[in-house]
């Protein structure tokens, strides 16, 4: 029996090693195990721990939020926000060629054609993921961590509301069931909350996962299925040969899996770089503030449109989430950005009583320039796949991403076209930067 505080050794070399125990990595393991493969997951911290992007976010799933971050007008709005220290979007200027390369591709993706194409891909993935979640959480231990009662989108200004209303027909035609609420319907849906808004929309397919409880519950489910999960285990190197990843070195020992999947969130780029594979990822820092549930708080999840803040009720708690900050891997919590989120909430919900702050958290969302994840075989390796770059909608894309990875690994035809998601869709400078490091 291992001595206290000494990590238990790996039991065996698996068919598949999944690097990363966040929401994406766990769903990769889930679907791979359903396919009959032996699976080991390694996670650098505790599953669902504060180091994970899956820990402190709002857990939104369903069809809302399928429009890619890179859309027409975002660059101009972003430049205006850069002058505001409490704005929802911030880029910390720094001499980083990788950031400049990412921003160059981001700017190129900010056009109507690419935004529409990306929207179609993401809506499809979100719908498939929602179906998976409904089946998985229909009963059992995970059921209490999944809520699907719809979602509100509120707009404080006439301009913001009218712009949102103009987009409804195209959004509905694209598969998202949005409808404009008639006067009085917002009060019917939220009788206890006082909103100071011009209007609101409702998405009946809005849903959310209670995190981190869903993560820890899914990990228990996986262990019950025979998946080996090793927490506080970091990958430190690889052995390769013959076009394959033959060995993975970790702080717990070495593994020789038949297949390796990199699903380590923001850390995926560093991990893949150890294999000579370049991923055009940037860590986008987001914040959340969890408070004791106040009187006058909403019962449904709510998006505060112009303020870019999300609210999610968690029983005796209420969580606010927002901001997108390109500041590298700096996890420092900015008081001004936290104050900005709280001020936005009070502006939209002036009747909500102030209450005790239980936790303030920041985490890194792994963002690709075009807002689409990286899914598929990576580099020149026959047995290496990646699943990362899901940005701020990873909770809503993870279930189907895991199933797609399982289809790739087992040789089954993928259920959707993976061409827009291919890991190697950015080359050139990305490869040169990789070789310099």
């Amino acid at each position: 029996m291992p001595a206290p505080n000494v990590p238990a050794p790996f039991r065996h070399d698996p068919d598949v090693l999944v690097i990363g125990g966040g929401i994406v990595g766990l769903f990769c393991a889930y679907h791979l195990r359903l396919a009959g493969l032996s699976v080991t997951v390694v996670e650098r911290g505790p599953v669902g721990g504060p180091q994970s992007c899956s820990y402190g976010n709002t857990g939104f799933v369903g069809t809302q939020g399928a429009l890619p971050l890179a859309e027409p007008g975002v660059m101009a709005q972003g430049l205006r926000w850069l002058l505001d220290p409490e704005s929802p979007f911030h880029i910390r200027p720094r001499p980083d060629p990788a950031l400049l390369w990412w921003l160059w591709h981001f700017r190129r993706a900010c056009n109507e054609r690419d935004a529409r194409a990306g929207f179609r891909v993401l809506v499809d993935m979100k719908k498939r993921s929602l179906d998976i979640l409904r089946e998985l959480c229909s009963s059992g231990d995970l059921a209490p961590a999944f809520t699907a009662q719809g979602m509100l989108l509120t707009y404080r200004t006439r301009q913001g509301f009218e712009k949102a209303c103009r987009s409804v027909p195209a959004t509905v035609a694209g598969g998202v069931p949005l409808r404009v609420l008639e006067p009085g319907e917002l009060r019917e849906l939220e009788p206890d909350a006082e909103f100071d808004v011009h209007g609101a929309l409702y998405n009946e397919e809005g849903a959310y996962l209670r995190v981190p409880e869903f993560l820890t519950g899914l990990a228990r489910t996986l262990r019950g299925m025979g998946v080996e999960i090793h927490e506080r285990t970091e990958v430190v190197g690889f052995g390769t040969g013959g076009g394959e990843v033959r060995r993975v070195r970790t702080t717990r020992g070495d593994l020789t899996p038949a297949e390796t999947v990199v699903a380590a969130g923001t850390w995926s780029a560093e991990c893949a770089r150890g294999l000579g594979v370049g991923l055009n990822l940037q860590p986008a820092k987001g914040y959340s503030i969890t408070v004791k549930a106040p009187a006058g708080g909403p019962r449904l999840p709510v998006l505060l449109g112009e303020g870019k803040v999300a609210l999610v009720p968690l029983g005796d708690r209420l969580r606010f989430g927002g901001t997108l900050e390109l500041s590298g891997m700096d996890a420092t919590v900015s008081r001004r950005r936290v104050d900005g989120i709280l001020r936005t909430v009070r502006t939209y919900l002036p009747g909500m009583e102030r209450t005790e702050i239980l936790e303030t958290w920041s985490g890194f969302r792994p963002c690709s320039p075009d807002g689409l994840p990286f899914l598929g075989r990576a580099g020149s390796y026959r047995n290496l796949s990646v699943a990362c770059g899901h940005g701020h909608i990873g909770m809503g894309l993870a279930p189907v991403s895991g199933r797609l990875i399982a289809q790739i690994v087992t040789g089954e035809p993928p259920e959707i076209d993976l061409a827009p998601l291919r890991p190697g869709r950015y080359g050139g400078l990305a490869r040169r930067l990789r070789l310099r490091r």
Side-chain angles (χ1 to χ4, degrees):
M1 182 174 181
N5 300 321
V6 176
F10 295 118
R11 291 198 297 270
H12 57 80
D13 288 316
D15 294 326
V16 188
L17 171 66
V18 178
I19 301 173
I23 187 73
V24 175
L26 293 183
F27 267 109
C28 288
Y30 173 73
H31 289 290
L32 288 162
R33 186 69 190 115
L34 285 180
L37 301 173
S38 62
V39 184
T40 294
V41 177
V42 294
E43 165 58 34
R44 59 193 296 272
V47 169
Q51 86 291 340
S52 168
C53 185
S54 304
Y55 169 83
N57 63 42
T58 49
F60 283 5
V61 296
T63 53
Q64 193 55 45
L67 191 65
L69 179 63
E71 59 175 314
V74 166
M75 289 299 291
Q77 178 66 67
L79 291 174
R80 291 193 293 272
W81 274 335
L82 286 178
L83 302 175
D84 182 358
E86 295 181 359
S87 69
F89 180 63
H90 177 69
I91 301 173
R92 180 182 297 175
R94 58 191 189 277
D96 183 350
L99 173 62
L100 295 176
W101 185 238
W102 189 94
L103 288 170
W104 188 78
H105 279 284
F106 178 78
R107 181 187 62 80
R108 290 189 66 192
C110 290
N111 65 79
E112 190 69 30
R113 184 196 64 186
D114 288 343
R116 286 182 180 178
F119 173 77
R120 289 192 295 269
V121 172
L122 293 177
V123 168
D124 186 18
M125 293 182 69
K126 277 174 159 281
K127 282 183 173 291
R128 293 170 189 269
S129 286
L130 186 57
D131 288 342
I132 293 169
L133 286 170
R134 283 173 172 155
E135 181 178 357
L136 178 63
C137 301
S138 60
S139 61
D141 293 342
L142 292 174
F146 175 61
T147 302
Q149 298 176 339
M151 178 178 296
L152 290 169
L153 293 74
T154 59
Y155 299 89
R156 193 163 187 273
T157 66
R158 177 186 294 273
Q159 179 184 17
F161 181 56
E162 290 179 348
K163 180 181 178 182
C165 289
R166 288 193 298 270
S167 71
V168 168
T171 304
V172 171
V176 179
L178 276 183
R179 67 179 178 89
V180 180
L181 294 182
E182 298 294 332
E185 282 192 284
L186 179 58
R187 173 63 65 185
E188 292 177 11
L189 288 168
E190 290 288 358
D192 300 325
E194 176 192 336
F195 285 91
D196 182 10
V197 297
H198 191 81
L201 309 179
Y202 177 73
N203 181 349
E204 66 182 31
E205 288 183 346
Y208 65 94
L209 299 172
R210 189 182 179 114
V211 294
E213 291 86 349
F214 182 83
L215 272 294
T216 54
L218 182 55
R220 285 195 301 271
T221 297
L222 291 173
R223 287 185 169 110
M225 295 169 63
V227 173
E228 192 173 331
I229 301 177
H230 292 275
E231 301 172 281
R232 298 179 176 83
T233 303
E234 194 163 354
V235 172
V236 294
F238 299 92
T240 64
E244 293 187 343
V245 178
R246 293 189 170 178
R247 185 174 298 276
V248 180
R249 302 183 181 94
T250 80
T251 51
R252 191 184 292 262
D254 291 0
L255 283 164
T256 56
E259 292 270 354
T260 298
V261 177
V262 176
T266 297
W267 287 269
S268 297
E270 180 181 352
C271 187
R273 195 158 50 239
L275 288 163
V277 175
L279 296 175
N280 197 355
L281 281 179
Q282 278 294 311
K285 183 163 65 175
Y287 293 83
S288 74
I289 304 145
T290 305
V291 303
K292 284 188 175 179
R299 299 187 298 183
L300 293 173
V302 182
L303 288 170
L304 309 182
E306 300 94 335
K308 308 296 183 184
V309 171
L311 282 71
V312 61
L314 300 170
D316 59 352
R317 299 171 293 151
L318 181 64
R319 179 170 292 163
F320 317 138
T323 79
L324 190 153
E325 186 176 317
L326 295 174
S327 54
M329 297 295 283
D330 179 6
T332 303
V333 173
S334 166
R335 187 69 243 176
R336 299 189 74 168
R337 299 208 170 273
V338 170
D339 290 343
I341 292 172
L342 294 173
R343 189 173 296 110
T344 296
V345 172
R346 290 193 293 268
T347 299
Y348 282 74
L349 288 151
M352 191 169 66
E353 293 185 2
R354 300 196 183 193
T355 186
E356 178 185 352
I357 294 178
L358 301 175
E359 183 178 25
T360 301
W361 172 88
S362 71
F364 300 111
R365 311 176 186 108
C367 289
S368 68
D370 58 10
L372 301 179
F374 295 115
L375 286 173
R377 293 295 192 188
S380 58
Y381 299 99
R382 291 188 293 270
N383 64 342
L384 174 68
S385 303
V386 300
C388 60
H390 295 76
H392 64 292
I393 53 175
M395 305 297 291
L397 299 177
V400 75
S401 294
R403 191 159 70 190
L404 289 166
I405 287 295
Q407 289 165 353
I408 292 166
V409 168
T410 59
E412 181 183 346
E415 61 191 70
I416 69 171
D417 180 11
L418 294 178
L421 311 175
R422 63 191 186 281
R425 63 185 183 269
Y426 302 105
L429 182 59
R431 184 175 185 278
R432 294 195 292 273
L433 289 172
R434 184 180 75 241
L435 294 175
R436 290 175 188 169
R437 296 189 176 188

